[in-house]
Amino acid sequence: MTLKLISHNLCPYVQRAAIALMEKGVPFERTDIDLSNKPDWFLKLSPLGKTPVLIVNNMPIFESAVILEYLEDTQPPALHPEDPLERAQHRGWIEFASAILNDIAGLYNAVDQGAFADKQAELGRKFARLESQLGNGPFFSGSDFSLVDAAFAPVFRYFDTIDEIVGLGLFDDAPKVSAWRKSLSDRPSVQKAVSADYPLRLREFLQKRNSVLSGLILKDTQSAA
Ligand SMILES: N[C@@H](CCC(=O)N[C@@H](CS)C(=O)NCC(=O)O)C(=O)O
């Protein structure tokens, strides 16, 4: 079986799939595409025109949550809990990670202070909710790495760059979330899910948004010069 992951170098949804593949020790080939100039072959494979797409024996699977489920159905070790109720809860928390990714996009695209503050507050509420959900770690549901961890690692990775630009204080009252974030950033599969130039590329991407955050990057760059 050959597996190809059609990717974009900054896409957090691609990272979920790459992390799950590496956790399961499945070899795969990764092809990065330019989402601002989508190739025709990609549009033929991807009904929504979005990354990731996983190609399995020439058959495309789209939507990251579906790709994760397919990998779970076909490749050991299991990264979902065995109990159906717990498994359903994990799927719910993966959706929660997607909602946070939408809030992050809202934050970096916010064009005025009001919209920026709203997104900051919403992210604060979501991380507080997560704080009350977590146990003693090091991962979401204890000692075993799960698909929820694969979904949250790319969420936290954004803040490695955003924290350098502006202090949002999102994790100040969330010690369990902070410890979880650290456990995920130390995980080899998480580290290998992006290329070495990811922080630089993300900064460039954020700088081009014409947003409140872009303005802060500009100030940061000027004060460093
Ligand atoms: N719900 C999708 C979201 C994927 C997604 O939003 N991918 C972005 C890149 S991170 C994309 O391809 N955007 C291109 C577009 O929307 O035109 C999933 O979970 O796979």
Side-chain angles (χ1 to χ4, degrees):
M1 183 157 77
T2 61
L3 295 183
K4 285 189 195 162
L5 186 63
I6 312 303
S7 310
H8 176 267
N9 47 34
L10 293 177
C11 179
Y13 299 95
V14 165
Q15 291 176 48
R16 296 174 166 185
I19 292 167
L21 283 159
M22 286 187 271
E23 287 291 334
K24 287 171 180 286
V26 182
F28 65 102
E29 211 179 279
R30 181 169 170 157
T31 305
D32 283 337
I33 61 155
D34 178 0
L35 281 170
S36 62
N37 183 19
K38 298 174 187 171
D40 284 343
W41 63 261
F42 169 69
L43 291 171
K44 280 187 193 134
L45 290 176
S46 174
L48 296 172
K50 294 182 180 193
T51 58
V53 173
L54 183 70
I55 306 178
V56 183
N57 293 338
N58 295 321
M59 301 279 282
I61 307 174
F62 61 101
E63 283 296 315
S64 63
V66 179
I67 293 170
L68 294 184
E69 293 293 334
Y70 171 77
L71 293 174
E72 196 58 11
D73 284 346
T74 54
Q75 306 285 349
L79 297 176
H80 257 332
E82 230 179 273
D83 176 64
L85 179 56
E86 257 186 80
R87 211 157 54 223
Q89 287 172 326
H90 274 223
R91 290 185 177 117
W93 286 104
I94 291 171
E95 282 303 309
F96 194 75
S98 300
I100 296 184
L101 288 174
N102 286 333
D103 292 332
I104 292 171
L107 182 87
Y108 66 62
N109 285 319
V111 290
D112 60 67
Q113 289 295 344
F116 187 85
D118 284 351
K119 282 297 161 192
Q120 182 178 357
E122 184 49 39
L123 283 162
R125 273 192 291 277
K126 287 206 174 69
F127 286 123
R129 181 70 189 77
L130 260 183
E131 180 73 13
S132 67
Q133 185 66 27
L134 292 173
N136 293 326
F139 299 116
F140 176 73
S141 59
S143 55
D144 292 334
F145 189 95
S146 72
L147 291 177
V148 180
D149 296 289
F152 273 93
V155 166
F156 294 129
R157 197 194 304 276
Y158 274 105
F159 293 99
D160 296 344
T161 296
I162 293 174
D163 284 354
E164 287 175 1
I165 301 163
V166 56
L168 297 175
L170 294 174
F171 305 105
D172 291 356
D173 298 322
K176 289 181 176 177
V177 174
S178 299
W180 184 29
R181 175 183 176 188
K182 171 81 174 74
S183 304
L184 292 179
S185 74
D186 289 343
R187 188 85 172 173
S189 64
V190 170
Q191 291 171 352
K192 285 189 238 147
V194 292
S195 57
D197 61 357
Y198 171 92
L200 193 68
R201 281 177 184 270
L202 178 61
R203 210 178 160 92
E204 281 169 3
F205 168 83
L206 296 173
Q207 194 162 357
K208 287 186 195 141
R209 309 319 294 169
N210 278 330
S211 66
V212 171
L213 196 67
S214 317
L216 291 170
I217 297 176
L218 200 66
K219 264 198 213 153
D220 186 45
T221 316
Q222 283 165 349
S223 66

